[in-house]
Amino acid sequence: MKRGFAPWADPSQQPLVRFDAVTKRFGDVTAVDRLSLDIYEREFFALLGPSGCGKTTLLRLLAGFEAADAGAILLEGRNIDGVPPYRRPVNMMFQSYALFPHMTVAANVAFGLKQDRLPKGEINARVAEMLALVKLERFAHRKPHQLSGGQRQRVALARSLAKHPKVLLLDEPLAALDKKLREETQFELMDLQARLGTTFVIVTHDQEEAMTMAHRIAVMDHGHVKQVSPPADLYEQPNSRWVAEFIGDINIIETVVVSQTGDHAVLETAAGRRFSVGGVADAGAQAFMAVRPEKIRIALTPPLGGGLNHVAGRVVDIGYLGDMSIYKVRLDDGSVMRASLANARRGSERDIVPDQPVWLSWPPEAALLLTK
Amino acid sequence: MRRLSVFNLTTLAFGLAFLYLPIAILVIYSFNDSRLVTVWGGWSTRWYAVLLHDRDLLAATLNSLAIALASATLATILGTMAALALTRFGRFRGRMLLSAMVYAPLVMPEVITGLSLLLLFVAADVDRGFSTITASHTTLTMCFVTIVVQSRLVDFDRSLEEAAMDLGCPPLRTFFSVTLPLIAPAVAAGFLLAFSLSLDDLVIASFTTGPGATTLPIRIYSEVRLGVKPEINAVCTVLVAVVATAIVMASLLSKRGAAAPGLPGR
Amino acid sequence: MSAFGGAGKGWGARLVVIAPYAWLFALFLLPFLIVFKISLSQTAIAQPPYTPVLDLAAGWEGARAFLDGLSADSFVLIGSDTLYIASYLRSLEIAAVSTALLLLIGYPLAYAMARAPARLQAVLVMLVVLPFWTSLLIRVYAWINILQRDGLLNQALVRLGIIDEPTTWLATDAAIYVGMVYSYLPFMVLPLYATLQKMDDSLLEAAADLGCRRFKAFWAITLPLSLPGVVAGGLLCFIPISGEFVIPDLLGGSGQMMIGQTLWSEFFANKDWPVASAIAVVLLCVLLVPIGAYERMQVRRFEEGR
C-alpha cells in the first residue's frame, strides 16, 4: 500500500500544504527558522525530532493557534495567514485529547458539527458514523472520565475527524498509551488513514512510531528540517551525520577521502586505517564513514581474503536484548564500535565472550559516506 | 491509611474548640431568657420576637442584603473578567499594573481603602448612600473573585479552549460553551465570597455611607459599642445561621467538583 | 500566545481587559492620588472640610492658587507629635506579636491537618474556613460576651478556683491578641496547610532511611520546605492587622490607640481630613515593603510553570 504512492516525486503534483520560509520566534527563541516544507494530499506525514525542535510549533502554526513572524503557509495554494483557527478546514487531535469533561462522548463528537449549524439529523448520523468508525457506539452517552485511556484517545480521534478536515493534525496522539496499545493503535491509525484518504500530519518524538506509520518523515532540529524522506531512505540514506545518529544506532568514524574510483571512495582514518565505501566525495575532503551495527559481521577469525573494511578488537561488553545481542568492541586505537547479531536460534550460547579478540567486517555497500 | 498521632489529634481538638466555642456560646446565650446577658435565666426565644419589631434593624438588614446582592453580582462579572485578562491574554501593556491593582486590595488595611474611596466620592461630588457603598464593596470583593477564578483558570487545560476553536467555535462562544461551564464552581464560590464579605463589612461602609443607608454591621457596631445586649446575640445568631445554611447548600450543590467555597488563599 | 490570542483584537476581548482595568483604576488607584493630594491640604470649616479646592473653572489661575495652597503641615504634625509616632509603633508591635502568636498556634494546627487521613482533610479545611464566613464583627462580639468582667471566662476561672476575684480581661492587650488570633487564624493556617500538604511523604521516609530521627527530620526537612507558607501566612496577617480598626476598638482599652483607630478618630471625631489622609499615606509607606513582597508572591504563585 505504501509502495507506489509518491506524489512528492511527481513535479506535476500541487502540494496540499506548503510552508514557505516560515519563521516563528518566542522571545529570543526561534522555534521555527525559515522552514520550507510541502505536504501532499492523502499523505501520512510525520514530524519527528527531539523535544524543543519546533515540531509542535509547526503543527500549531498550521492549526492557527500561532501566527508566523515571517513566511507564508499555503493550504491548497491559498495563503491562510490571519485565518483564525475556527475558520480553518484543518482539525487537531490534542496530546491531552482535550475532551470536554462536561459533555458526553456523543456531544464531544457533535461539537464541531454544531458549530457549522448542520441539521440535527445530519449531525446525529455523522456522530453515529464516527463512533462506529472508532468502535465506541456503546459509549455514546458516557462522560470522558468514565472511559479508559485508549477509549478517550479514540473519542478524540472521532471528534477531530467528524468535520472531514482537509488535514488532520495529530500531536503525539499515542504518547499517553502503554506500549502494547500504542503498537495496536499505530496500525489502526494507518488503516483509518488509508480508508478515509485524509491527509494526516503527526508530531512524534518516537522514531519507531514515525517509521511504522508515515509515508514520509521530516526530521527536525532547532527549528530546521534536516531531512525529508520515506522511512527506509531515512534509515539507509541519511544525508548527514546528525540524521544518521538520530535515527537508530550507528557507528561513525572520522576519516579523510584518499581517492575516488567509480562510485566508490577510499577513506583513511587518522591512525592510517583504510576503508572502501560506496559514495562520491572529493579527494582530500573530510568525511565520515557510517555503518549500522546490524550490518557488521563479527567473527573470531580474520575475514578470508583480507580486503579493506575490517578491524580487529576485543569485546568489552555484551548487551542481551532478547531478539538480538549487542557487542561493544574496543579497537586497537582505543575507539569503540558496536555490532549486533540477531538471536535467531534459541538458547544458543555463542562463542563470543567478554575480553575475547574478534574481527569486525562489512562490505563497502553497507557503509555510508557522509560529508557533513 | 494515615493515623493521627495523639499530639496532632489534641492540636486539632483545641484548635477547632477555639474556633467554634465563642460562636457556640453566642448562639446559646441568644436563647437566654434573662436580660442580663451573663446570667442564665432559662431558655427563651423572646429576643427573636423583639428583633421582628425593630424597624431600624430590619431596614438595615434589607439595605445590607441589597448592597451585598448588587455588589457581589458586579464583582463576579468584573472579577471574572480580570481573572481572564490575567490568565488568558499573555503579556499586554499595563498587565503588571492590573495584577498589582488586583492583589493589593486583598491585604490593604480597610481604613485606608475606606478613606480613599470616600475622598474620591467627595471629590467627584457623588451623593453618598446605597450606590457608593455598592461601588466600594464591588472594588474590594472583585479582587477576591479574581483570585478564586484565577486559581481555577491556571489549572485549566487550555487545550480545551483550543480544541473548541479548532472545531470551528469562535472565541466568545468558546467562552460560554466550554470555559464558563468548567469554571462555574469557582465563579459561584467567588460570588458567595463577595456576598458574605459585603454583608460583613463595617469599616468601608462606615466611610462611604450616606444618609438613609445604614447597613447591618454599622447598626450592630453602634449597639455593641454601648455594651452586650441579648437582642444583638439574637441578630448575630440569625446571621450565622443564614451564612452556615448558604455554605452548606453551596457545597451540596457543587458536590461533584472540589468546589466547596474555601478561603481562596487570601 | 493564548487561545484567545487570535481574538486579541476583537471588541469582546478588549472589554474583558478594559472593564476591570478601568474600574480598579477609578476606584482603587485614583482614590490614593486623592488621599495624597488631601494630605497636603489644610483643614477648613467648609464643605468639603479642607482647602485648597482645585477650581478647574478658574483655569490656569485656579491651578496656581491650588498649588500655592498646598502644604506639608499635616505631615509635620504627624512627625512632631509623639502621639502619632507612638500609635504607629504600637500598631507594628501588635501586628508583629499577633503574627508570631498566629504562627505559633497556626503551624501545629496546619501540620495536624496535613497529617490527617486524606478523606478527613477536606472536612478539616472546611471547618477552619467556616468561621471566616461569619462576620468579623460577630466573632469579635462573641469574645466580648466571654471576656467581660462578669463573663463566662471569669465565671469559669472562679468556679475552678484558679482565681478568687474576677479579673479584667476586656480592654486589655490580652483581649486584643485573642481577637487578632481568633480572627486571622484561617489566613495563617490555610497557606501553611497548602505547603505542608503538598510535601512528599517520601522525603520524610528518605530522611528516616538515612538515619534521621522524626523530631530532627521536622527541623531539617519539614520546616525549611514550609517556609513559603510561613511567609505567605505571615504577610496575610501582618499587613491587615497593622491597620486593624474593629478588633482594638471593641476589645482594646482606652489607652494607646492603634493607627487604624487614630485615623478613624481624626476622620470621624475631629473631622480633620488632611491629617487622616496624611496618616493613611504614612501607613501606606510603612507597609510598602510587605505589600510589595506579598504582590510578588501572588504573581509568582500564578505565573509559575506557565
Side-chain angles (χ1 to χ4, degrees):
Chain A
M1 170 198 74
K2 269 190 191 179
R3 305 283 150 245
F5 176 77
W8 52 87
D10 178 358
S12 70
Q13 287 277 340
Q14 288 300 310
L16 179 65
V17 177
R18 164 165 278 176
F19 289 91
D20 188 7
V22 172
T23 297
K24 174 70 191 174
R25 287 182 215 93
F26 295 105
D28 300 336
V29 182
T30 305
V32 174
D33 194 1
R34 279 164 296 158
L35 179 145
S36 297
L37 193 65
D38 287 346
I39 298 168
Y40 293 85
E41 212 173 332
R42 308 182 78 88
E43 193 174 1
F44 200 134
F45 194 91
L47 295 166
L48 176 67
S51 62
C53 70
K55 56 191 191 299
T56 298
T57 304
L58 207 58
L59 207 64
R60 292 172 60 82
L61 281 164
L62 190 47
F65 299 132
E66 314 285 356
D69 295 316
I73 302 172
L74 284 78
L75 183 67
E76 294 182 312
R78 271 190 322 121
N79 189 336
I80 52 170
D81 180 39
V83 178
Y86 45 92
R87 296 222 188 84
R88 295 192 182 193
V90 298
N91 286 130
M92 174 129 144
M93 189 185 148
F94 289 80
Q95 182 172 7
S96 65
Y97 307 149
L99 299 178
F100 306 125
H102 56 307
M103 298 180 194
T104 62
V105 167
N108 263 284
V109 177
F111 187 88
L113 304 170
K114 281 195 183 135
Q115 304 310 318
D116 289 352
R117 296 176 202 275
L118 293 183
K120 216 168 165 62
E122 198 173 322
I123 293 180
N124 290 342
R126 190 90 71 86
V127 170
E129 179 198 338
M130 284 300 144
L131 289 178
L133 194 68
V134 296
K135 305 185 192 77
L136 282 175
E137 301 95 321
R138 290 184 301 120
F139 299 92
H141 299 295
R142 294 260 183 105
K143 290 275 182 73
H145 67 91
Q146 296 167 309
L147 302 177
S148 72
Q151 289 168 335
R152 260 179 261 173
Q153 193 257 4
R154 272 142 61 201
V155 178
L157 185 64
R159 186 180 71 176
S160 55
L161 279 171
K163 293 184 81 168
H164 295 329
K166 293 217 162 71
V167 184
L168 180 70
L169 310 173
L170 304 103
D171 187 4
E172 303 271 8
L174 310 177
L177 306 180
D178 61 48
K179 195 167 185 299
K180 260 242 151 62
L181 194 54
R182 192 157 62 220
E183 279 164 12
E184 273 174 43
T185 314
Q186 283 174 10
F187 289 102
E188 279 177 25
L189 272 180
M190 288 164 68
D191 181 48
L192 201 66
Q193 195 268 339
R195 265 198 291 157
L196 298 173
T198 309
T199 304
F200 278 28
V201 179
I202 184 174
V203 156
T204 179
H205 66 275
D206 181 336
Q207 34 177 298
E208 278 181 39
E209 193 173 298
M211 304 271 266
T212 309
M213 294 195 286
H215 292 121
R216 280 193 305 159
I217 299 171
V219 181
M220 288 184 68
D221 184 45
H222 288 102
H224 296 276
V225 167
K226 293 280 187 179
Q227 185 170 357
V228 187
S229 299
D233 291 358
L234 203 59
Y235 189 77
E236 303 293 354
Q237 303 291 331
N239 63 2
S240 63
R241 177 179 179 172
W242 193 90
V243 173
E245 288 190 308
F246 182 73
I247 304 285
D249 193 6
I250 200 158
N251 295 292
I252 301 269
I253 297 171
E254 288 181 32
T255 60
V256 174
V257 182
V258 177
S259 63
Q260 176 81 44
T261 44
D263 54 355
H264 280 63
V266 176
L267 310 175
E268 189 179 70
T269 65
R273 190 175 282 129
R274 290 197 169 196
F275 302 113
S276 168
V277 174
V280 180
D282 297 331
Q286 290 274 330
F288 301 107
M289 193 211 61
V291 58
R292 298 212 179 263
E294 77 276 8
K295 295 188 168 57
I296 294 178
R297 208 176 94 84
I298 184 165
L300 299 175
T301 51
L304 291 172
L308 287 169
N309 296 1
H310 74 268
V311 290
R314 270 174 196 280
V315 175
V316 288
D317 222 343
I318 301 174
Y320 176 74
L321 301 182
D323 55 346
M324 62 173 187
S325 295
I326 300 210
Y327 300 89
K328 284 190 181 173
V329 177
R330 189 179 299 282
L331 308 187
D332 306 338
D333 62 1
S335 63
V336 173
M337 283 187 80
R338 291 176 307 282
S340 65
L341 217 49
N343 295 325
R345 281 178 301 144
R346 184 159 164 265
S348 68
E349 281 287 310
R350 285 223 181 75
D351 311 331
I352 304 168
V353 294
D355 211 31
Q356 184 165 29
V358 288
W359 277 262
L360 304 178
S361 61
W362 58 92
E365 306 74 46
L368 285 164
L369 172 61
L370 300 172
T371 51
K372 55 177 181 177
Chain B
M1 172 78 99
R2 283 195 283 194
R3 288 268 199 82
L4 278 170
S5 68
V6 176
F7 173 76
N8 286 341
L9 207 60
T10 319
T11 312
L12 281 177
F14 271 102
L16 291 178
F18 176 62
L19 283 174
Y20 283 91
L21 216 52
I23 295 174
I25 290 168
L26 177 89
V27 171
I28 291 168
Y29 271 79
S30 75
F31 293 102
N32 184 2
D33 192 45
S34 169
R35 169 143 279 281
L36 295 168
V37 283
T38 51
V39 180
W40 184 254
W43 295 92
S44 158
T45 52
R46 60 185 278 204
W47 306 115
Y48 291 88
V50 170
L51 284 189
L52 288 176
H53 299 290
D54 189 335
R55 282 251 182 96
D56 289 351
L57 195 72
L58 289 176
T61 309
L62 285 181
N63 274 340
S64 271
L65 287 174
I67 290 169
L69 193 66
S71 69
T73 308
L74 257 174
T76 305
I77 296 168
L78 286 168
T80 305
M81 283 178 160
L84 279 171
L86 287 175
T87 48
R88 286 290 184 273
F89 285 79
R91 296 186 190 288
F92 55 86
R93 244 183 308 155
R95 187 181 190 288
M96 280 295 288
L97 183 63
L98 182 62
S99 67
M101 289 195 300
V102 164
Y103 302 139
L106 307 180
V107 287
M108 191 59 68
E110 287 172 317
V111 283
I112 297 183
T113 313
L115 175 69
S116 65
L117 280 164
L118 168 70
L119 296 181
L120 171 79
F121 296 138
V122 171
D125 203 16
V126 182
D127 283 336
R128 273 165 282 149
F130 181 90
S131 58
T132 48
I133 301 179
T134 304
S136 304
H137 283 179
T138 304
T139 309
L140 175 72
T141 57
M142 71 170 276
C143 302
F144 283 85
V145 175
T146 304
I147 295 280
V148 181
V149 175
Q150 198 181 357
S151 335
R152 181 85 175 195
L153 280 174
V154 166
D155 295 338
F156 191 93
D157 180 5
R158 209 174 296 186
S159 59
L160 288 173
E161 285 159 357
E162 290 179 346
M165 281 194 246
D166 184 63
L167 293 165
C169 197
L172 193 65
R173 214 190 307 154
T174 296
F175 175 75
F176 284 105
S177 61
V178 174
T179 315
L180 193 57
L182 293 173
I183 62 169
V187 174
F191 176 87
L192 271 177
L193 185 61
F195 188 89
S196 91
L197 282 168
S198 166
L199 209 57
D200 174 24
D201 169 69
L202 165 70
V203 175
I204 292 173
S206 297
F207 276 102
T208 55
T209 185
T214 301
T215 65
L216 190 57
I218 294 179
R219 173 88 193 157
I220 294 177
Y221 174 71
S222 64
E223 296 279 335
V224 168
R225 282 200 65 118
L226 303 174
V228 177
K229 283 185 189 168
E231 299 98 302
I232 300 296
N233 281 347
V235 180
C236 292
T237 303
V238 171
L239 266 180
V240 169
V242 168
V243 171
T245 315
I247 302 296
V248 170
M249 267 175 36
S251 59
L252 284 181
L253 281 176
S254 62
K255 210 164 188 177
R256 278 171 306 149
L263 186 68
R266 166 174 164 168
Chain C
M1 260 312 263
S2 75
F4 289 104
K9 301 127 204 161
W11 270 109
R14 273 195 198 165
L15 186 71
V16 167
V17 177
I18 289 171
Y21 214 110
W23 183 282
L24 284 173
F25 189 84
L27 283 118
F28 184 72
L29 205 60
L30 190 60
F32 282 128
L33 300 179
I34 295 174
V35 170
F36 187 64
K37 183 214 122 187
I38 289 175
S39 71
L40 293 169
S41 308
Q42 281 169 316
T43 331
I45 302 173
Q47 196 55 254
Y50 55 84
T51 175
V53 176
L54 180 57
D55 186 2
L56 286 174
W60 184 239
E61 279 304 306
R64 260 192 64 178
F66 168 77
L67 285 174
D68 287 343
L70 291 180
S71 84
D73 284 2
S74 303
F75 288 100
V76 172
L77 177 71
I78 292 177
S80 56
D81 192 334
T82 51
L83 190 90
Y84 296 103
I85 297 169
S87 188
Y88 279 111
L89 289 177
R90 178 162 166 81
S91 294
L92 293 180
E93 179 201 329
I94 288 184
V97 174
S98 303
T99 306
L101 285 172
L102 278 159
L103 193 58
L104 228 56
I105 295 167
Y107 201 102
L109 194 56
Y111 185 79
M113 283 165 67
R115 307 294 305 167
R119 291 185 62 192
L120 201 60
Q121 288 193 14
V123 178
L124 288 172
V125 170
M126 187 83 173
L127 281 175
V128 168
V129 170
L130 212 53
F132 166 82
W133 288 79
T134 63
S135 164
L136 173 77
L137 200 54
I138 293 177
R139 283 176 288 155
V140 173
Y141 172 74
W143 278 102
I144 300 182
N145 265 333
I146 296 170
L147 294 175
Q148 60 190 318
R149 198 164 177 81
D150 47 0
L152 281 173
L153 183 64
N154 272 333
Q155 287 183 25
L157 289 176
V158 169
R159 199 160 303 172
L160 289 171
I162 298 170
I163 52 172
D164 303 326
E165 286 277 286
T167 47
T168 308
W169 294 104
L170 204 59
T172 63
D173 282 5
I176 294 182
Y177 288 129
V178 167
M180 294 290 187
V181 170
Y182 186 67
S183 306
Y184 283 90
L185 196 56
F187 296 117
M188 180 59 87
V189 170
L190 287 187
L192 282 173
Y193 166 75
T195 49
L196 287 169
Q197 188 259 339
K198 262 190 296 188
M199 203 157 7
D200 193 344
D201 268 1
S202 60
L203 291 179
L204 289 180
E205 288 169 0
D209 183 61
L210 294 167
C212 186
R213 285 170 188 280
R214 276 182 72 175
F215 186 70
K216 233 174 137 188
F218 174 81
W219 292 100
I221 309 229
T222 312
L223 192 62
L225 283 176
S226 64
L227 276 184
V230 172
V231 173
L235 289 172
L236 283 174
C237 293
F238 182 86
I239 303 169
I241 289 178
S242 329
E244 186 56 60
F245 166 75
V246 176
I247 296 170
D249 187 61
L250 292 179
L251 297 178
S254 52
Q256 181 60 60
M257 291 194 284
M258 283 182 75
I259 199 65
Q261 296 169 275
T262 310
L263 189 157
W264 183 282
S265 75
E266 287 294 347
F267 185 86
F268 286 105
N270 297 349
K271 300 258 181 287
D272 193 335
W273 292 17
V275 168
S277 300
I279 291 173
V281 170
V282 174
L283 178 58
L284 203 58
C285 292
V286 170
L287 293 180
L288 220 50
V289 173
I291 290 179
Y294 161 80
E295 291 262 344
R296 282 192 47 187
M297 190 186 79
Q298 284 286 9
V299 168
R300 230 175 308 154
R301 179 174 150 218
F302 285 118
E303 320 283 292
E304 233 170 43
R306 293 230 274 130

